[in-house]
Amino acid sequence: MATDYYAVLGVRRDASQDEIKKAFRRLARELHPDVNPDPKTQERFKEINAAYEVLSDPQKKQVYDLGGDPLSSSGGAGAGAGFGAGFGNFSDIMDAFFGQASQRGPRSRTRRGQDAMIRLEVSLTEAAFGTTKEIQVDTAVVCTTCSGEGAAPGTSAQTCDMCRGRGEVSQVTRSFLGQVMTSRPCPQCQGFGTVVPTPCPECAGDGRVRSRRTLTVKIPAGVDNGTRIQLAGEGEVGPGGGPAGDLYVEIHETRHPVFQRRGDDLHCTVTIPMTAAALGTKVPLETLDGVEEIDIRPGTQSGQSIPLHGRGVTHLRGGGRGDLIVHVEVTTPTKLDPQQEDLLRQLAKIRGEERPTGEFKPGQQGLFSRLKDAFNGR
């Protein structure tokens, strides 16, 4: 009784070539002798090999569908089950294990270049409002002497006489399953199929040279530490004058002497004496938008914060800006002269240390003014 090759692979009789190949790959991964050395499994492996040989070949498949024996000329299924016959070529078994076809033919000398990255320092103001900067980059560019060909002027690449331009050489070996044909990159041309007898003296045959270039980079408002700006096609030119990769500019914001950035908000600390905190005052502060007066209300406590809305960093995505948060720090004098000490004792007596109210009693306002004058005159 003739073998049902469709049943062996587990496919329908109207299965497409793609379905047949997928079924074979799946079974080959399960039944290959290197994976499952059981003798019965090896026989099963030979069956799926023979079935694939027939069903993957349109002419043999037609003979089989008409009731003929397409393997009779090669001695039947047993003879057709070796790697050399059943797989047609060795790449089918490589497909089964690695899921993709092995590369055939010569490799191209022209390849895409690598991406590159540089770090760029910007100030807080530049990060907040955006800016334009010029940067210098050292990257590979197309060799102008050979225009990326790699050959010296007046010469050209020649077909490799070892692989005859195929880029690979084949070798046949014997195994317990029959003859196996393997291919490997040609050692003479490194798989390119051509050789360059006289390399370009400028680039040594690589088709590219190192060069320093000046680029203009637009820094958008709102960038932060670690933000990367992509400049398409400004990276390394590929071997053989291939297309350039991309250049990434990574932003690093320098430390500001006054403000600390937290997201798009800015924070700073202003220090005032206790008399100013008690009486209230106005403190000039140099913000990103210019000098502004911070209104310190009477009775302000140390650690209290005053928000200035819309005085922070521009939002990178969307409109508007963050806030500027001013933290107030109230200082207490560590050394007092007799006049100051006397004034503070008077204040403590008027206020009553055992029950502070936080409000000025009659006569306290004048005393605070005298205290302020006394401390400011130190």
Side-chain angles (χ1 to χ4, degrees):
M1 182 176 180
T3 303
D4 186 349
Y5 291 138
Y6 292 100
V8 169
L9 294 182
V11 297
R12 304 186 311 273
R13 298 191 71 86
D14 60 348
S16 65
Q17 285 295 318
D18 187 56
E19 292 173 330
I20 292 172
K21 193 167 188 176
K22 287 182 179 179
F24 165 73
R25 289 180 179 178
R26 175 179 54 80
L27 292 171
R29 283 194 295 266
E30 298 174 2
L31 304 175
H32 191 273
D34 290 344
V35 178
N36 195 335
D38 182 67
K40 293 183 178 179
T41 302
Q42 294 183 23
E43 291 299 321
R44 171 75 171 139
F45 181 72
K46 292 180 180 180
E47 289 181 2
I48 67 166
N49 192 10
Y52 181 68
E53 178 186 357
V54 172
L55 299 183
S56 64
D57 187 314
Q59 294 181 349
K60 292 181 180 180
K61 183 175 182 296
Q62 184 178 20
V63 172
Y64 174 73
D65 290 340
L66 294 175
D69 184 1
L71 297 178
S72 59
S73 60
S74 57
F83 282 138
F87 281 102
N89 56 64
F90 191 65
S91 65
D92 289 331
I93 191 63
M94 299 304 291
D95 290 352
F97 281 94
F98 298 105
Q100 59 182 4
S102 57
Q103 181 177 349
R104 300 184 182 90
R107 295 189 297 130
S108 173
R109 291 185 181 274
T110 301
R111 300 193 301 276
R112 182 184 184 274
Q114 293 184 344
D115 295 337
M117 186 180 73
I118 64 171
R119 297 173 60 178
L120 177 63
E121 290 190 347
V122 298
S123 66
L124 175 60
T125 302
E126 292 172 332
F129 300 117
T131 186
T132 300
K133 281 183 170 290
E134 286 191 347
I135 59 174
Q136 289 188 332
V137 293
D138 291 318
T139 57
V141 298
V142 175
C143 176
T144 56
T145 302
C146 65
S147 301
E149 297 294 331
T155 67
S156 61
Q158 298 179 2
T159 302
C160 175
D161 56 10
M162 177 175 286
C163 66
R164 300 185 183 278
R166 295 189 298 112
E168 60 183 16
V169 292
S170 301
Q171 181 180 7
V172 179
T173 58
R174 296 187 61 84
S175 71
F176 68 95
L177 290 175
Q179 291 185 336
V180 178
M181 178 178 290
T182 58
S183 298
R184 60 188 177 90
C186 175
Q188 180 167 295
C189 66
Q190 309 302 318
F192 294 117
T194 58
V195 293
V196 181
T198 310
C200 172
E202 184 70 23
C203 64
D206 191 40
R208 54 183 183 168
V209 293
R210 304 296 299 185
S211 177
R212 173 168 293 187
R213 298 178 294 147
T214 300
L215 302 175
T216 300
V217 184
K218 183 178 181 180
I219 310 298
V223 295
D224 202 351
N225 273 322
T227 300
R228 291 184 179 181
I229 302 171
Q230 181 182 12
L231 302 180
E234 296 293 351
E236 300 276 345
V237 166
D246 298 334
L247 175 65
Y248 292 87
V249 180
E250 186 174 85
I251 300 299
H252 285 261
E253 185 182 297
T254 57
R255 184 183 297 274
H256 194 274
V258 176
F259 302 115
Q260 296 84 44
R261 180 175 176 179
R262 301 175 191 171
D264 289 339
D265 292 336
L266 299 178
H267 294 255
C268 71
T269 300
V270 295
T271 303
I272 60 175
M274 67 175 189
T275 52
L279 297 174
T281 186
K282 292 184 180 295
V283 178
L285 177 65
E286 183 72 39
T287 71
L288 298 183
D289 300 277
V291 178
E292 295 194 23
E293 286 194 339
I294 310 301
D295 186 16
I296 306 295
R297 296 183 178 181
T300 297
Q301 303 296 306
S302 186
Q304 188 172 335
S305 60
I306 302 172
L308 299 181
H309 299 293
R311 294 294 187 271
V313 177
T314 304
H315 299 313
L316 182 60
R317 294 177 179 83
R321 294 170 58 182
D323 299 331
L324 171 58
I325 312 299
V326 180
H327 301 272
V328 179
E329 183 179 90
V330 179
T331 59
T332 302
T334 56
K335 294 182 179 181
L336 301 175
D337 60 29
Q339 180 187 7
Q340 294 169 344
E341 184 176 347
D342 181 61
L343 289 172
L344 284 177
R345 290 185 184 280
Q346 293 182 48
L347 175 63
K349 183 177 180 181
I350 294 174
R351 289 177 58 84
E353 292 182 351
E354 75 284 358
R355 186 181 293 275
T357 63
E359 298 178 356
F360 293 134
K361 293 181 179 180
Q364 288 183 346
Q365 180 68 47
L367 182 56
F368 263 110
S369 298
R370 290 158 56 196
L371 278 169
K372 182 177 180 181
D373 294 339
F375 280 106
N376 289 338
R378 288 184 57 188

